[in-house]
Amino acid sequence: MESEKKQRNRKWIWKILLLLAVILLIYVIASLWISYNLLLVQDYTVTLGQGGKEVKAVVIGDLHDNEFGEENQELAEKIAETEPDLILMDGDMLNGDSDSASIPVELIKKLKDVAPIYYALGNHEENYMEQGNEDLIQELTNAGAVVLEEDYVDLETGGVETRLGGLYGYAFGTDPKTGYNEADDAPREVREFLEEFQDTDRLKIMMSHRPDSFIFGDASKAWDIDLVISAHDHGGQVVLPFLGGLYGGDQGWFPKYVHGLYQKDIMQIFVTSGLGTNKKALPRFNNPPEIAVLHIIV
């Protein structure tokens, strides 16, 4: 009698384990699908003043040649629905080994009448141009974007006078791990650009594909920039419950600055988790593609 009871208990244990395994498998498959297909529009409020004026900026990055709907029609429609003042494409919209720039170019064409588009270069744009595609910036410009690389524009949006810039390089040199702590350690051309950029009473926003460009080497203490807008780290690629993003490039394991709004020294840094991923050792997981809408209050 006791043996039969043990057998029944074992059967129930196996049934429970099988059920848990099925639930886990469903969760993994659903999380993978969501992380590559379910576009989320996320709103963020960035307070940079008390004047009550607002600039609404849509931030997208790390598309990596992915498509949402035919020729990114779904992506374009969702962005248009937010009625932005500015559209900021923050790098890695294609891949370094892409055959062409057709995907970001066509997306720009779809959005150019929605709002002004500003495009900052990422590491994959840099790699793409190094492969002999030097005309990339001209292609993006012809499509309707303003490409900002060590450059800036002065504009007025929503009654707010803004200086918007773009910088791919590190503000403190090419190696973020060497502990730079003086502004003079930045490469001369970067230093000269940043010194000119910050010389204004306008709201200062910098598109910098890698948050690493300003989180290392005390850059966030040295440069008078109100808001840095970044992408690059894919929200940590794999997002673990309660632990957050798993890996963030130069930031390493369990990085801090991969998704959301951060106050770092005298500047605020916003990092979008982006829209896609390139070939990685780990897939994007528990990490929905993001259209970030920044409500910048000045």
Side-chain angles (χ1 to χ4, degrees):
M1 190 74 173
E2 186 177 346
S3 177
E4 291 179 4
K5 185 177 180 180
K6 287 182 178 180
Q7 289 178 0
R8 284 197 299 272
N9 288 342
R10 278 197 292 269
K11 287 181 179 179
W12 273 109
I13 290 171
W14 280 110
K15 287 180 180 178
I16 292 171
L17 291 174
L18 180 60
L19 178 61
L20 291 174
V22 171
I23 292 172
L24 178 61
L25 180 62
I26 292 172
Y27 168 72
V28 169
I29 293 173
S31 291
L32 286 169
W33 186 89
I34 288 170
S35 298
Y36 285 85
N37 298 281
L38 185 62
L39 273 173
L40 288 187
V41 178
Q42 307 250 51
D43 287 272
Y44 302 85
T45 299
V46 186
T47 303
L48 298 174
Q50 299 179 342
K53 297 178 180 179
E54 177 183 336
V55 177
K56 186 193 293 185
V58 160
V59 178
I60 57 174
D62 298 308
L63 182 63
H64 287 292
D65 270 348
N66 291 320
E67 292 186 272
F68 297 90
E70 186 174 353
E71 295 184 341
N72 271 316
Q73 185 63 33
E74 180 186 356
L75 175 59
E77 288 176 357
K78 282 187 175 291
I79 292 173
E81 287 169 3
T82 69
E83 299 181 344
D85 298 315
L86 304 171
I87 298 172
L88 308 181
M89 294 187 175
D90 211 0
D92 282 8
M93 301 297 287
L94 43 59
N95 293 317
D97 58 358
S98 294
D99 293 331
S100 74
S102 61
I103 288 180
V105 163
E106 292 305 315
L107 180 59
I108 290 168
K109 290 178 179 179
K110 283 183 169 64
L111 292 171
K112 65 181 181 180
D113 294 327
V114 173
I117 300 171
Y118 297 92
Y119 195 117
L121 302 180
N123 47 295
H124 279 268
E125 281 86 4
E126 295 280 345
N127 292 340
Y128 180 78
M129 289 189 289
E130 289 171 2
Q131 300 303 313
N133 303 293
E134 298 90 351
D135 58 348
L136 173 63
I137 292 177
Q138 190 61 55
E139 285 188 72
L140 299 173
T141 301
N142 291 344
V146 176
V147 180
L148 298 174
E149 170 51 31
E150 292 187 26
D151 198 4
Y152 64 82
V153 293
D154 286 336
L155 50 94
E156 184 174 339
T157 304
V160 178
E161 292 187 340
T162 302
R163 176 162 289 182
L164 176 66
L167 173 67
Y168 173 70
Y170 285 102
F172 283 80
T174 57
D175 184 355
K177 298 180 181 178
T178 55
Y180 296 125
N181 56 17
E182 295 291 340
D184 287 343
D185 285 324
R188 179 181 57 81
E189 65 275 9
V190 171
R191 185 174 69 251
E192 290 176 352
F193 164 65
L194 289 171
E195 287 171 349
E196 181 179 347
F197 177 82
Q198 68 183 4
D199 186 21
T200 180
D201 293 329
R202 292 171 174 266
L203 175 70
K204 295 177 282 291
I205 300 175
M206 181 68 72
M207 298 170 65
S208 179
H209 175 69
R210 300 175 294 189
D212 311 344
S213 294
F214 284 91
I215 64 173
F216 289 117
D218 290 339
S220 56
K221 295 178 182 177
W223 300 111
D224 181 15
I225 298 172
D226 299 301
L227 177 64
V228 171
I229 297 176
S230 299
H232 185 58
D233 290 317
H234 304 176
Q237 189 72 9
V238 173
V239 179
L240 301 176
F242 309 111
L243 296 176
L246 184 63
Y247 191 74
D250 287 328
Q251 295 181 62
W253 297 99
F254 297 105
K256 180 177 180 180
Y257 303 97
V258 291
H259 185 212
L261 184 66
Y262 307 89
Q263 179 72 48
K264 189 166 193 323
D265 301 314
I266 64 173
M267 66 179 60
Q268 292 196 57
I269 299 175
F270 174 77
V271 189
T272 177
S273 58
L275 291 162
T277 183
N278 189 31
K279 301 164 187 172
K280 296 284 184 181
L282 293 172
R284 192 174 171 110
F285 178 78
N286 193 29
N287 190 3
E290 176 181 65
I291 298 170
V293 182
L294 299 189
H295 302 268
I296 304 170
I297 309 300
V298 183

